[in-house]
Amino acid sequence: MPVRFRFVRDVRLDRPCMLVGFPGIGYVAKVALDYLVEKLGAEVFAEVYSHAFPSFVVVRDDGVVEPLKVELYYSCCEGGSFILVTGNAQPITPEGQNELVDAIVAEIRGRYGISRIFAMAAYVVEGRTGEPRVYVAATDASTLNAFAKQGIMPMNGGCITGANGIILSYAKALGIPAACLLSETLAYTYYGYLADVKAAEALVKAITSITGLSIDMSDIEAKAKRFEEMLKRLKEAEESVLRETREKTWRRDLTYIW
Amino acid sequence: MVEAMPKCWVNILEKLTLDHATAVAASPGLRSVGWLVLKYLVKKLNPKLIAKIYSTSFPVLYETLPSYNPHPAASGVGGIFVNLGMMTEPSVEVHLHNNLLLVTGYQANFHGQREVAEETIRLLKNMGIDFLIALAAHAMNEEDFYIAATKSELVEKYCQVFKAKPYQGPILGFTGLILGEAVISGLDGICILSKTTPNPEFPEHPDYEAAKKLAKALLTLLKIELEPTDLKEVTQREYNSRVHLPSIFPVGLT
């Protein structure tokens, strides 16, 4: 399952930090990464295509065909140089996911070196009260401790599915310090109904605190607020349907009492 | 030592370089609309077969429906086709008619589909194609035609030509993937999607009326004088010779 690169711009970077957010559960990682791209003014320098992407192309609302791809962005700012990795799809087989991650890490490492890798992902929970908690899984104790100092709890048990998790194994094998940050998302988003901006906001906060990046948070905060309001209405509607169903069932059950 | 068979390979029957040529491509897809139009053109225009693309990932029997939405765990069954004692391999066929290439696509399984799309676009570009017209169907119950294209200017232009609206959503299988490859390789192209009614039980069951409408619109665009009134008669046998369901094994299956 080959992976192809198309470099659209020649860039020079010195051991950048990689920030990774492939689309996954609740689009949490992708929303967070897209926000970082926007606020850092990051620019695309390469596209990556995998043979293990799903069997379709996307046509945007203006009718223009967009192939499935991963995009590599770069940004140089006060916090250092960064490569941001996201896309509109993930390969759908474990082999394809591994090959894609392997190729991206090898290509970037070969060209520029890599100082650290921070991936992002979602952590599905049944219920969420207040701010989403953020957990971390790291390749080494020193990286894990750095996050602990920021108040980020270590993930304890479970797994991180897809490329956002797999990239840690390639980083570890190459001796690159790496971590994956996971933000609590609700089971709603797991079924692909909603993009959880609230969970994404928590990831952006965590990433900026660990990397020292300074970005304007107002847009994602406003979007997260709207998302919470919409989620509240959705829950109310769901509870109302459940209540009606229970009532109907209760009335029907009454007929059996004698 | 026996050399391993390549995964996807091209057999060029006639080497040629065209000048600003157009390719029309379709594959078995939603209600077979695009595929029927392609088969009709191949039958009626009597074009010359100039190339075939083969892949070790072309099944003759599919394990999942529809064939254009393959699953990685269902590779299908490999094999050959036999007609009147003569064998043929499953393949993508490229025919030449004047300055027009007719590309009859074939749905590979998940593992070979993107390689086939890449080879197809590479071959067409090497032959001198600078415009691709892909044919497909939509089930949105609104406009007769929708347009998708590799560039927004093309969407605008061909929406006017076909009195269509811009399409939004996925395009699956061979047709979608060659359009994606066209974008990646810088080849201009459009996809005309003709209105059909979905048939969830048999997604590829032919819609001859939708195909007729699409054929008429395409023939007008290409300035080919041909009235597709006999499309059903011409293409029915072609469609029936295809094997559609894993449960329906053709007579003589070994």
Side-chain angles (χ1 to χ4, degrees):
Chain A
M1 287 285 181
V3 172
R4 281 185 298 162
F5 286 80
R6 188 165 79 100
F7 284 86
V8 293
R9 182 182 290 232
D10 192 23
V11 294
R12 284 181 191 178
L13 302 166
D14 183 26
R15 300 189 75 240
C17 169
M18 269 174 81
L19 304 178
V20 180
F22 287 100
I25 297 166
Y27 296 100
V28 175
K30 176 154 177 63
V31 171
L33 206 292
D34 284 348
Y35 191 77
L36 288 167
V37 165
E38 185 194 328
K39 294 299 168 189
L40 291 172
E43 291 190 47
V44 123
F45 70 96
E47 293 176 348
V48 193
Y49 309 99
S50 161
H51 274 199
F53 279 149
S55 320
F56 59 85
V57 288
V58 179
V59 182
R60 300 189 319 227
D61 58 0
D62 61 355
V64 175
V65 175
E66 190 176 291
L68 299 187
K69 62 189 171 190
V70 168
E71 287 175 313
L72 308 183
Y73 295 82
Y74 78 99
S75 171
C76 297
C77 53
E78 273 180 28
S81 63
F82 292 86
I83 285 180
L84 298 93
V85 184
T86 187
N88 55 10
Q90 274 202 40
I92 56 173
T93 61
E95 295 87 349
Q97 290 166 349
N98 274 277
E99 270 175 347
L100 178 72
V101 166
D102 185 13
I104 290 173
V105 172
E107 189 72 32
I108 293 177
R109 185 170 171 258
R111 281 173 181 256
Y112 319 109
I114 300 171
S115 61
R116 295 172 295 173
I117 298 176
F118 297 137
M120 293 180 279
Y123 188 94
V124 180
V125 288
E126 283 298 317
R128 184 171 74 191
T129 47
E131 295 297 305
R133 274 179 290 196
V134 177
Y135 301 91
V136 63
T139 51
D140 58 288
S142 157
T143 308
L144 192 66
N145 289 337
F147 280 96
K149 280 180 192 159
Q150 301 286 330
I152 296 167
M153 289 171 288
M155 179 180 167
N156 190 14
C159 57
I160 307 170
T161 56
N164 293 323
I166 290 169
I167 199 160
L168 262 62
S169 56
Y170 285 87
K172 189 178 173 184
L174 296 167
I176 303 166
C180 182
L181 291 163
L182 303 98
S183 175
E184 282 185 337
T185 189
L186 296 163
Y188 278 120
T189 62
Y190 184 74
Y191 300 104
Y193 301 137
L194 300 166
D196 190 343
V197 191
K198 186 73 187 166
E201 180 199 11
L203 283 182
V204 175
K205 277 182 185 162
I207 280 286
T208 48
S209 75
I210 199 78
T211 54
L213 281 169
S214 171
I215 60 167
D216 171 22
M217 291 294 289
S218 58
D219 288 344
I220 200 164
E221 281 167 1
K223 280 182 191 166
K225 201 176 167 191
R226 284 200 296 275
F227 173 79
E228 286 283 88
E229 284 161 5
M230 190 260 293
L231 200 63
K232 197 179 159 195
R233 286 198 298 276
L234 197 71
K235 273 182 184 168
E236 282 167 2
E238 192 186 58
E239 275 163 19
S240 151
V241 171
L242 280 173
R243 211 168 29 245
E244 277 175 31
T245 313
R246 268 199 303 269
E247 232 166 72
K248 277 180 196 163
T249 317
W250 179 70
R251 281 188 191 138
R252 199 183 60 215
D253 287 349
L254 279 183
T255 59
Y256 293 97
I257 299 173
W258 52 276
Chain B
M1 202 167 90
V2 181
E3 216 170 280
M5 189 182 273
K7 252 192 102 194
C8 180
W9 65 103
V10 181
N11 186 10
I12 295 172
L13 305 168
E14 187 171 322
K15 270 196 179 170
L16 50 95
T17 311
L18 301 164
D19 189 28
H20 298 301
T22 294
V24 181
S27 54
L30 182 64
R31 299 297 306 271
S32 294
V33 174
W35 187 82
L36 290 170
V37 175
L38 233 296
K39 282 287 172 186
Y40 180 74
L41 295 182
V42 169
K43 282 277 173 191
K44 296 294 280 192
L45 300 176
N46 204 22
K48 193 172 185 187
L49 180 66
I50 56 163
K52 286 180 124 189
I53 300 169
Y54 302 100
S55 166
T56 49
S57 301
F58 282 154
V60 290
L61 293 173
Y62 294 90
E63 289 171 307
T64 51
L65 273 178
S67 66
Y68 49 89
N69 191 15
H71 190 279
S75 295
V77 182
I80 54 163
F81 297 112
V82 180
N83 192 21
L84 298 171
M86 291 297 292
M87 63 78 72
T88 51
E89 306 90 341
S91 63
V92 171
E93 290 185 344
V94 183
H95 289 83
L96 175 68
H97 171 76
N98 298 334
N99 211 29
L100 182 71
L101 289 186
L102 301 171
V103 184
T104 317
Y106 197 92
Q107 303 293 2
N109 65 27
F110 177 82
H111 305 284
Q113 56 182 353
R114 285 181 181 271
E115 196 177 6
V116 170
E118 281 168 31
E119 279 299 340
T120 304
I121 292 298
R122 192 176 302 135
L123 174 68
L124 295 181
K125 284 192 81 175
N126 287 343
M127 283 179 164
I129 290 296
D130 62 11
F131 195 62
L132 171 72
I133 302 173
L135 307 177
H138 73 86
M140 291 194 289
N141 203 23
E142 283 176 23
E143 309 296 318
D144 278 346
F145 298 112
Y146 279 85
I147 299 291
T150 54
K151 285 179 182 166
S152 56
E153 307 93 87
L154 294 172
V155 178
E156 222 167 275
K157 179 180 172 185
Y158 286 94
C159 275
Q160 281 181 2
V161 171
F162 289 96
K163 294 182 180 66
K165 279 189 176 171
Y167 176 76
Q168 183 189 4
I171 301 176
L172 279 72
F174 178 85
T175 306
L177 299 183
I178 57 168
L179 281 164
E181 277 304 311
V183 174
I184 295 166
S185 65
L187 174 67
D188 284 349
I190 59 166
C191 182
I192 315 167
L193 299 104
S194 179
K195 181 161 83 175
T196 188
T197 316
N199 181 340
E201 246 179 280
F202 302 104
E204 292 168 44
H205 190 74
D207 181 346
Y208 295 107
E209 283 311 308
K212 213 181 277 183
K213 258 187 191 171
L214 180 56
K216 205 169 176 176
L218 178 72
L219 288 164
T220 309
L221 177 74
L222 298 172
K223 297 187 177 78
I224 296 174
E225 283 183 26
L226 182 64
E227 196 56 49
T229 44
D230 56 346
L231 184 138
K232 184 175 178 182
E233 294 72 42
V234 172
T235 55
Q236 206 162 23
R237 199 180 165 278
E238 288 280 339
Y239 178 80
N240 291 339
S241 68
R242 278 171 52 198
V243 182
H244 307 288
L245 279 173
S247 54
I248 303 174
F249 285 167
V251 176
L253 181 80
T254 54

